[in-house]
Amino acid sequence: MDCGSCAAKIEHVVSALDDVETVRVDLALARMKVELRDDGDATRLAGAVRALGFTVAELGEGATRHAPAPQKPIWQDPRLAAVGIGVVAMVLGAITQSVPLYVVAIALGGFYVFRNALSSARHLHLDINVLMTIAVLGAMVIGEWFEAATVVVLFAFAEWLEGASMTRARRAIRDLMELAPPMARVLRGGAEVELGADDVVIDDVVVVRPGERVPLDGLVRAGESDVDQSPLTGESVPVHKAVGDEVFAGTVNTVGTLEVRVTKPASDSTIAHVLRAIEQAQENRSESERFIERFARWYTPAVVAIAVGIAVLPPLLGGGDWHEWFYRALVMLVIACPCALVIATPITTVSALAGAARDGLLIKGGRYLEELGAIRALVFDKTGTLTEGLLSVHEVVGSAAWTADDVLEVAAFAEQQSEHYIARAIVRETVHREISPPAHRMRRVEAHPGAGVEAHIDLCVKAPMIAGIGRIKIAHQHDHNCDHDHDLDEHASHAHEEARILVGTRTLLERFQIDFTGLDDEWHRLESHGSTVVGVTRDDELIGIIECRDTVRATARDTLEALRSMGIAEIHLCTGDNAIAAASLADSVGLDPNHVHAGLFPEDKVAILETLRAKFGHVAMVGDGINDAPALAAASVGIAMGAAGTDVALETAHVALMEDRLERVPSAIRLGRSTVRIIRQNVILALGIKAVVFGLATAGVATLWMAIAADMGTSLLVIANGLRSGRRA
Ligand code: ADP
Ligand code: MG
């Protein structure tokens, strides 16, 4: 599928079939997505598309892993051969002034054009091929053989060129689709078996030898190696992976053999998410793309109407020369071809999106590319975005009878399922201090996004009486294994009690009306370090506080500086963390203290974005997807960092930086700006040249060959210009 007109034609024909409920043809991926009626027949559908001269391969339902059938290299395209011979015949014809040679040129060069025109005409679809055919027939009728041959040959060449450049722009996307290997070597019952990646289940262990691609997302269980993640994230240097590290489907294992415990089914791997996002990108067309589509819809019929008018009216009214005006009308038909105009935006967008994807920058559609180019204000999340997100516990203070270790143990128990950086820091610290986990049972945990966690646990009252304290603590009891689910007698023989544990910000604890008296001074002391401080409560009693420290990203200051120098008007910081931590970070990265907002819940971040959008129109939010997904969605464009690790970020963000690098934010904006600029140049170029030729044609100066040469020249320029946007950002 080469051009906008092919896509339109397929859509026109397929949507008219009885079998079809809905159809969407995707030019960029050369795919169509069809919803069949209940009694719909896919074979009949494929037949209808084949009858139009296309090849069809069925990919099945929701197929993301299958690449479209690989295309032959463009040099082997029979159309190129036809056009090539056509050009030679035309040139020889021009030299010898021989009509038979012109006929050969027209027949060969025009073969595919005429064939397309015929099938379009049969379906009453007035497209470019039909117009060109009429122009060529008309030129032959009035004996303008040279002109007829030029029109046909140049038009066919322009079409081929469009197809070839579309293929080129698609290649990056196709490469992505072929990233994840279809087969995996799985350890089952001690032996290695080859399985289709779709048949591998969670907790299977796959073996990846050096030089092989990782087939599924998982955690390294044994072995050590360097993994080249560049196909997915754009990182140029291979990343060292050892036991416990995460590896992604589609990345390349370089030196050692790895055993990987699969954590996600193939359909849920990071690369599958990326592919789905790319597929959906077509639905998020940019404003300019939609404008051109609307424009092209009336442009062609309008110019055709003018052509008819020119052919008929002047001779009838003013007694003009029939031959003369008929010729001018033919020129109009050529001008009616919106080729360069129609391809100007998609070729630019597709090549920008594909180039960006190759670079680990996933942009979900031209719309967001255009938004990136228009951004006037930015909002940054703090933890995990401007900071590394590698928190570590710095100090723990217990109240009264609670030791630091007790506090950590209680907190870790509540946090064990949380993905938050603080949770990981706390759990890591207990491992470090060799505090073993208690044998209690979790009843339910509730996350309070941007604030903390609330855990309800079952306490076994039989054993854990700790001497001296005189109350039940959560402590591990190695001798007491209470299996609450199965051992019902045991269960009944001793008392159970529910306890509620909170770990979180001061705001969260205040909501639960916790009394801070005993630890208030300590809390302020820890907070004054500019750290993140969380309180731990048990049954509404504050039992201790934990201070966590994070490191500012080394690149944060320079990145913000770069953004300011690009003319971004305001940069804000939004965080759920406390005001002192926020202010101290703002100070170290050089942010205006008036643009710092602390103590926010996720919905407060959304409110701030809305205010900024009202003021600036185009506002980006940069976050990591943890507690800021609503804000990412509420921004004109939500940019998620380190998306290779977090599915939420990948799903909700409009732009995902696969690699966890802040410096990519300015380059994404630069890419947006340059793409918008190129699209604008292309549209002006295409429209401008059309207008000039239109003027010349009405004045009777332009000839057929000028019109088609101008069109082809414009297509060439626009394509070359558009492909520029795919260069490395
Ligand atoms: P930021 O807005 O800086 O990225 P978050 O919105 O993720 O931070 O979290 C805001 C604050 O909420 C954290 O600084 C922390 O105090 C608290 N918090 C969030 N989740 C948890 C959790 N699982 N455990 C403890 N505290 C948490
Ligand atoms: Mg965050």
Side-chain angles (χ1 to χ4, degrees):
M1 196 167 40
D2 303 295
C3 51
S5 78
C6 321
K9 180 159 134 189
I10 297 178
E11 215 161 63
H12 176 86
V13 170
V14 170
S15 61
L17 294 176
D18 289 337
D19 303 273
V20 173
E21 192 81 48
T22 63
V23 57
R24 194 165 49 79
V25 178
D26 179 350
L27 174 63
L29 291 174
R31 280 179 171 210
M32 80 178 158
K33 193 181 206 166
V34 185
E35 214 184 310
L36 289 174
R37 294 237 157 90
D38 285 341
D39 54 347
D41 180 0
T43 339
R44 201 152 50 207
L45 169 87
V49 179
R50 279 196 194 99
L52 295 175
F54 297 92
T55 45
V56 193
E58 195 178 328
L59 294 182
E61 243 183 88
T64 37
R65 295 175 48 77
H66 308 272
Q71 293 194 349
K72 283 189 202 139
I74 51 176
W75 309 113
Q76 287 174 24
D77 188 341
R79 282 181 306 175
L80 184 64
V83 171
I85 302 174
V87 171
V88 173
M90 181 190 88
V91 171
L92 290 180
I95 294 171
T96 60
Q97 291 296 316
S98 131
V99 173
L101 275 173
Y102 283 138
V103 173
V104 170
I106 293 169
L108 271 177
F111 179 73
Y112 289 95
V113 181
F114 301 147
R115 206 177 67 172
N116 283 341
L118 213 70
S119 80
S120 293
R122 233 192 348 247
H123 291 99
L124 299 179
H125 183 64
L126 178 76
D127 70 359
I128 296 319
N129 293 298
V130 178
L131 294 184
M132 286 300 157
T133 306
I134 297 174
V136 171
L137 290 176
M140 294 198 301
V141 165
I142 58 175
E144 299 285 355
W145 291 99
F146 169 72
E147 306 264 319
T150 337
V151 167
V152 116
V153 168
L154 289 186
F155 176 73
F157 183 64
E159 290 274 280
W160 173 82
L161 197 74
E162 268 179 35
S165 49
M166 219 52 213
T167 309
R168 190 186 140 169
R170 275 178 203 145
R171 198 162 50 209
I173 292 175
R174 184 159 298 145
D175 286 351
L176 267 178
M177 296 195 154
E178 284 164 2
L179 269 188
M183 302 298 284
R185 205 175 298 120
V186 185
L187 283 184
R188 289 248 171 111
E192 285 182 15
V193 279
E194 283 259 326
L195 285 181
D198 289 319
D199 300 326
V200 179
V201 295
I202 292 181
D203 284 339
D204 265 339
V205 174
V206 297
V207 181
V208 192
R209 304 244 157 79
E212 289 180 347
R213 281 184 191 278
V214 178
L216 294 122
D217 285 11
L219 297 173
V220 176
R221 195 186 74 153
E224 215 176 301
S225 183
D226 292 334
V227 173
D228 176 6
Q229 308 203 124
S230 62
L232 190 63
T233 67
E235 277 159 297
S236 44
V237 186
V239 184
H240 187 74
K241 302 280 180 180
V243 174
D245 288 339
E246 195 174 14
V247 289
F248 303 106
T251 57
V252 184
N253 182 18
T254 58
V255 286
T257 299
L258 293 175
E259 279 183 30
V260 176
R261 188 173 61 75
V262 174
T263 50
K264 287 175 197 160
S267 59
D268 198 29
S269 66
T270 303
I271 182 78
H273 284 273
V274 169
L275 290 177
R276 262 193 293 267
I278 289 180
E279 288 191 346
Q280 281 158 14
Q282 273 312 97
E283 284 160 35
N284 298 315
R285 296 189 190 201
S286 64
E287 259 316 300
S288 45
E289 226 165 325
R290 267 181 287 204
F291 167 75
I292 297 290
E293 268 166 29
R294 278 196 301 271
F295 181 78
R297 219 168 287 153
W298 68 259
Y299 173 80
T300 305
V303 181
V304 171
I306 294 176
V308 173
I310 282 184
V312 190
L313 293 182
L316 279 185
L317 302 179
D321 176 26
W322 280 98
H323 183 280
E324 168 70 20
W325 288 100
F326 185 70
Y327 181 79
R328 284 187 200 181
L330 294 182
V331 178
M332 282 296 164
L333 283 188
V334 173
I335 295 173
C337 161
C339 300
L341 190 62
V342 167
I343 200 166
T345 314
I347 191 83
T348 312
T349 314
V350 170
S351 84
L353 294 183
R358 193 175 51 217
D359 238 7
L361 178 64
L362 182 67
I363 304 171
K364 298 185 183 170
R367 180 176 151 202
Y368 301 115
L369 198 56
E370 218 157 69
E371 278 290 350
L372 274 175
I375 286 310
R376 295 197 46 228
L378 273 156
V379 178
F380 279 92
D381 173 60
K382 181 179 80 82
T383 316
T385 305
L386 285 179
T387 70
E388 298 275 4
L390 292 170
L391 276 79
S392 59
V393 173
H394 191 73
E395 194 176 337
V396 184
V397 180
S399 87
W402 297 80
T403 66
D405 283 6
D406 291 337
V407 172
L408 276 172
E409 184 185 312
V410 172
F413 191 74
E415 295 275 24
Q416 57 194 341
Q417 283 164 21
S418 169
E419 294 258 294
H420 198 275
Y421 306 105
I422 293 191
R424 292 198 205 144
I426 290 173
V427 171
R428 225 180 297 125
E429 183 70 12
T430 57
V431 172
H432 180 70
R433 296 196 187 191
E434 296 178 344
I435 303 169
S436 33
H440 299 288
R441 192 177 73 127
M442 186 74 80
R443 278 212 183 142
R444 87 191 149 84
V445 212
E446 198 179 317
H448 292 272
V453 292
E454 175 185 352
H456 294 259
I457 66 171
D458 234 0
L459 287 180
C460 285
V461 193
K462 191 168 96 179
M465 294 291 289
I466 303 290
I469 297 174
R471 76 186 133 196
I472 302 143
K473 276 177 61 172
I474 304 162
H476 50 279
Q477 295 298 318
H478 297 294
D479 56 341
H480 174 74
N481 272 323
C482 180
D483 188 342
H484 305 262
D485 289 322
H486 308 295
D487 198 350
L488 281 177
D489 288 345
E490 166 82 354
H491 189 79
S493 72
H494 59 266
H496 281 250
E497 198 174 278
E498 186 180 297
R500 186 179 67 196
I501 299 165
L502 295 171
V503 187
T505 58
R506 210 177 161 102
T507 333
L508 178 77
L509 302 195
E510 276 163 1
R511 269 196 189 173
F512 283 87
Q513 279 143 3
I514 304 295
D515 177 18
F516 288 85
T517 345
L519 287 170
D520 220 20
D521 292 343
E522 285 294 71
W523 192 302
H524 290 300
R525 179 178 66 82
L526 297 187
E527 232 181 38
S528 70
H529 302 152
S531 310
T532 304
V533 181
V534 290
V536 184
T537 72
R538 219 211 86 184
D539 290 337
D540 292 343
E541 182 200 347
L542 186 61
I543 63 169
I545 49 183
I546 302 174
E547 176 194 356
C548 293
R549 290 195 179 173
D550 199 354
T551 33
V552 181
R553 279 185 200 263
T555 50
R557 200 185 180 95
D558 290 347
T559 302
L560 297 182
E561 194 46 53
L563 287 168
R564 265 187 295 264
S565 72
M566 288 165 65
I568 300 291
E570 279 184 17
I571 302 177
H572 288 247
L573 172 67
C574 279
T575 176
D577 206 351
N578 69 67
I580 302 174
S584 112
L585 176 94
D587 183 54
S588 65
V589 299
L591 269 179
D592 182 344
N594 295 323
H595 294 164
V596 175
H597 317 268
L600 305 176
F601 286 102
E603 61 271 21
D604 304 327
K605 294 185 183 177
V606 172
I608 289 176
L609 269 159
E610 277 163 3
T611 320
L612 286 173
R613 278 184 81 169
K615 187 170 167 199
F616 291 102
H618 306 276
V619 182
M621 165 86 203
V622 187
D624 57 355
I626 296 179
N627 296 337
D628 51 22
L632 287 174
S636 318
V637 45
I639 307 174
M641 312 221 340
T646 2
D647 293 343
V648 205
L650 204 53
E651 290 296 292
T652 40
H654 307 128
V655 173
L657 309 176
M658 303 305 289
E659 200 183 357
D660 202 13
R661 270 173 54 199
L662 202 56
E663 317 82 280
R664 299 302 305 276
V665 175
S667 49
I669 294 179
R670 253 181 245 122
L671 178 70
R673 287 184 180 177
S674 70
T675 309
V676 170
R677 205 167 38 236
I678 291 176
I679 289 177
R680 209 165 286 156
Q681 289 165 356
N682 273 356
V683 170
I684 291 175
L685 203 69
L687 279 179
I689 295 183
K690 281 275 178 226
V692 169
V693 181
F694 187 89
L696 292 178
T698 358
V701 185
T703 62
L704 268 179
W705 73 262
M706 278 187 204
I708 191 73
D711 202 66
M712 204 203 64
T714 321
S715 291
L716 265 176
L717 278 175
V718 159
I719 288 169
N721 200 25
L723 289 177
R724 278 195 316 143
S725 67
R727 282 202 239 127
R728 295 209 158 233

